[in-house]
Amino acid sequence: VQMGKLLSLIRFSIRFGLLAVLVSSFIGCSSELKLIPVSGQVEFAKDGSPAEFGSIEFRSENDPNPVARGKIRKDGSFTLKTGGRTGAVAVWHSVVIVQVAGNARGAKIKHNHGLDVSKKYLDHRTSDLRIEVTPETAANLTIEVEDENPRR
């Protein structure tokens, strides 16, 4: 009977030890990510005008996590953050741009927010934007996009 209790205690210790190792390695990975500061400009290919609003997301093509995101400001500029920290990991990324315009009164109030980016940039599967983040390229990216109504 004593041997049974001893074996149960050994099994519990092994399971607990493995769980502790997994949890500590997971926590360590997120805080040890080497991030490179990434900033740039989103502009329309047809005339160089800035995308005046929206958000931009970089997703690693190697591993979909972590994702770097940033807000596109009125002048088209953005800065990426990953998990609250400035920067993105140094790999190839697929890039999406999301623009949502609206207000509490619906369409009754018109907003002048510039051109709308093409809908193909809404999804990583349809976006043709690919950016390699490196220390040499990350500081002043220029991302050229098509607008939703290219005939204007």
Side-chain angles (χ1 to χ4, degrees):
V1 179
Q2 292 282 4
M3 186 59 114
K5 287 182 181 182
L6 182 61
L7 287 175
S8 292
L9 183 59
I10 291 172
R11 280 190 218 122
F12 174 79
S13 297
I14 290 172
R15 287 183 187 145
F16 183 79
L18 287 174
L19 180 63
V21 167
L22 286 173
V23 168
S24 66
S25 66
F26 178 74
I27 291 170
C29 287
S30 64
S31 64
E32 293 174 16
L33 280 176
K34 184 172 183 341
L35 301 180
I36 297 173
V38 177
S39 61
Q41 180 89 12
V42 179
E43 60 186 42
F44 290 97
K46 78 176 185 181
D47 63 5
S49 65
E52 296 183 9
F53 74 104
S55 61
I56 187 165
E57 177 181 287
F58 281 48
R59 184 170 72 182
S60 165
E61 291 187 348
N62 301 341
D63 178 2
N65 290 311
V67 174
R69 294 181 178 91
K71 179 181 178 187
I72 300 171
R73 295 180 283 277
K74 184 100 172 129
D75 65 354
S77 65
F78 67 89
T79 302
L80 295 181
K81 288 190 172 196
T82 301
R85 294 174 46 213
T86 299
V89 293
V91 295
W92 278 96
H93 296 264
S94 68
V95 179
V96 296
I97 297 172
V98 177
Q99 292 180 311
V100 179
N103 58 53
R105 296 182 187 178
K108 292 179 184 177
I109 298 174
K110 294 230 179 219
H111 291 275
N112 182 11
H113 58 263
L115 298 172
D116 294 325
V117 299
S118 171
K119 287 186 176 83
K120 73 179 182 178
Y121 302 119
L122 287 171
D123 191 304
H124 288 282
R125 295 171 294 189
T126 57
S127 176
D128 57 1
L129 297 173
R130 294 182 65 241
I131 303 287
E132 182 180 20
V133 172
T134 68
E136 294 77 31
T137 63
N140 292 303
L141 292 173
T142 298
I143 299 175
E144 288 191 342
V145 295
E146 298 170 26
D147 65 285
E148 185 57 26
N149 299 307
R151 295 185 191 152
R152 282 196 249 174

